[in-house]
């Protein structure tokens, strides 16, 4: 039985708790939140010991710590968990900066603990189906890729999302999903160019990022916190056809070939459930995770390069960002 402590009981903390509760091989031993009333309520709901301080919670004997805190609060907490010698599941992004992500990876390696990063898009069947089709040559030689990720502004009690210094804004908190997924499809990114605007709710409400991969594939990555409804979409354009996905459509995933054949693939599986079950299985049997800590680091690096490009209004060589390692 894998014993788990969940730290941070906001929306993602609750997602983790719900997923863990469905696993027969997981026992939720402790929950942690600065809000004592919330901690107690969640402790009662999930049969766990409630804590309001990390130090007290770390005294519990557990196998895994699940870190669901705001981005700028994760660095020290991950280190504290590593000091206890337990494995760590950290929500994306791995850290606020490339430097912090690098230090966390090195620290966990030093402490001989495993660090898993919650890049959940890798576990969405729709994305995997499209990736498999592209890599199998279903639409021939790839030309241009486009992704869209739109959300309503994520209001929270402390409004930490709106502060780029805390959350990384749209580029790090939102588009890091697509940076990681596209890198898993096409390999390493060579150069990043980004533009961004704001409507006042946050420092960046809208961003358009162009990624040039080392194999010269170009991807346009669009993200926004200025919409009322959530929408995710992608389009892979190749010489033999197009693969399209759009959550706003009745049939979200369509493979449209030159001969106009169509294949529709509806999916119902919870990607978060699949992700956490995968991480727990890796902890139990020592297998290699689908998403590595190094993947998490590189996704942060792409977001940091995009942030630099917004300021400089110039393309940024990704190696110049990662050279900090």
């Amino acid at each position: 039985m894998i014993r788990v402590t969940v730290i941070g009981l906001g929306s993602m903390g609750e997602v983790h708790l719900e997923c863990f509760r469905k696993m027969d091989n997981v026992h939720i031993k402790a929950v942690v939140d600065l809000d004592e009333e919330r901690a107690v309520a969640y402790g009662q709901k999930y049969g766990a010991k409630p804590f309001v301080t990390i130090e007290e919670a770390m005294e519990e004997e557990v196998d895994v710590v699940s870190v669901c805190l705001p981005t700028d609060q994760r660095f020290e907490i991950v280190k504290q968990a590593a000091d206890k010698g337990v494995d760590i599941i950290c929500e994306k992004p791995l850290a606020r900066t490339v430097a912090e992500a690098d230090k966390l990876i090195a620290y966990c390696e030093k402490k001989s603990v495993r660090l898993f990063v919650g890049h959940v898009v890798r576990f969405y069947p729709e994305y995997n189906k499209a990736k498999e089709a592209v890599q199998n040559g279903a639409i021939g030689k790839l030309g241009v890729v486009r992704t869209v990720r739109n959300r309503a502004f994520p209001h929270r009690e402390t409004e930490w999302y709106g502060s780029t210094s805390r959350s990384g804004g749209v580029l790090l908190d939102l588009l890091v999903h697509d940076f990681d997924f596209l890198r898993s499809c096409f390999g390493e990114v060579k150069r990043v160019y980004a533009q961004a605007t704001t409507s006042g709710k946050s420092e960046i409400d809208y961003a358009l990022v162009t990624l040039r991969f080392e194999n010269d594939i170009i991807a346009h990555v669009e993200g926004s916190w200025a919409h009322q409804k959530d929408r995710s979409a992608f389009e892979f354009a190749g010489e033999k056809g197009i693969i399209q996905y759009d959550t706003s459509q009745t049939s979200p995933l369509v493979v449209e070939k030159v001969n106009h054949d169509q294949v529709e693939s509806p999916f119902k599986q919870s990607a978060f459930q699949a992700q956490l079950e995968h991480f727990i299985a890796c902890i139990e049997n020592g297998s290699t995770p689908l998403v590595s800590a190094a993947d998490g680091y590189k996704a942060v690096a792409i977001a940091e390069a995009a942030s630099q490009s917004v300021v400089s209004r110039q393309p940024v060589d990704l190696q110049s960002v990662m050279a900090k390692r």
Side-chain angles (χ1 to χ4, degrees), residues 230-251:
D230 291 353
R231 175 182 174 234
S232 298
F234 59 69
E235 181 178 281
F236 296 89
E239 60 183 355
K240 296 180 181 178
I242 296 174
I243 298 175
Q244 296 174 309
Y245 169 74
D246 193 327
T247 56
S248 67
Q249 303 301 314
T250 303
S251 299

Side-chain angles (χ1 to χ4, degrees), residues 36-261:
E36 184 174 6
E37 184 177 346
R38 180 184 294 170
V40 170
Y42 277 80
Q44 292 174 344
K45 181 177 180 179
Y46 294 98
K49 293 183 180 179
F51 295 93
V52 294
T53 69
I54 305 298
E55 291 71 22
E56 288 181 312
M58 289 296 181
E59 294 302 316
E60 291 295 310
E61 293 294 328
V62 297
D63 305 294
V64 181
V65 168
S66 183
V67 181
C68 301
L69 292 165
T71 306
D72 62 326
Q73 297 176 16
R74 294 173 191 164
F75 182 72
E76 291 299 332
I77 304 308
V78 170
K79 289 177 63 179
Q80 287 183 46
D83 286 337
K84 292 292 293 183
V86 299
D87 292 331
I88 301 148
I89 297 173
C90 181
E91 260 306 315
K92 67 80 199 164
L94 174 57
R96 175 60 189 85
T97 66
V98 171
E100 285 189 351
D102 182 51
K103 290 176 182 177
L104 285 182
I105 292 173
Y107 198 82
C108 288
E109 289 176 350
K110 178 182 177 181
K111 296 293 182 176
S112 299
V113 301
R114 304 187 72 185
L115 176 60
F116 302 86
V117 187
H119 281 287
V120 72
V121 168
R122 298 264 202 123
F123 295 85
Y124 275 91
E126 300 92 336
Y127 282 79
N128 286 325
K129 187 80 171 180
K131 176 181 176 180
E132 180 182 351
V134 168
Q135 293 181 340
N136 288 342
I139 58 172
K141 184 179 179 181
L142 201 64
V144 177
V145 177
R146 184 175 66 91
T147 69
V148 177
R149 192 166 300 275
N150 295 333
R151 300 286 184 270
F153 181 74
H155 290 284
R156 296 294 186 271
E157 293 150 358
T158 60
E159 299 293 344
W160 66 274
Y161 276 99
S163 170
T164 301
S165 63
R166 297 198 63 192
S167 71
V170 166
L171 292 170
L172 181 62
D173 185 79
L174 186 64
L175 291 185
V176 74
H177 282 299
D178 300 290
F179 298 155
D180 174 70
F181 172 69
L182 292 171
R183 203 187 132 263
S184 77
C185 293
F186 310 122
E188 302 305 332
V189 171
K190 178 166 58 177
R191 191 162 58 247
V192 180
Y193 178 68
Q195 295 177 301
T197 62
T198 179
S199 63
K201 290 183 179 180
S202 65
E203 293 170 39
I204 295 177
D205 286 334
Y206 171 86
L208 178 61
V209 183
T210 301
L211 306 178
R212 180 178 285 275
F213 291 83
E214 289 184 355
N215 59 11
D216 287 329
I217 289 174
I218 294 174
H220 301 294
V221 183
E222 181 181 3
S224 171
W225 276 340
H227 290 69
Q228 294 301 311
K229 294 183 179 180
D230 291 353
R231 175 182 174 234
S232 298
F234 59 69
E235 181 178 281
F236 296 89
E239 60 183 355
K240 296 180 181 178
I242 296 174
I243 298 175
Q244 296 174 309
Y245 169 74
D246 193 327
T247 56
S248 67
Q249 303 301 314
T250 303
S251 299
L253 182 60
V254 175
V255 179
E256 187 173 327
K257 297 185 179 180
V258 173
N259 63 6
H260 304 296
D261 291 338

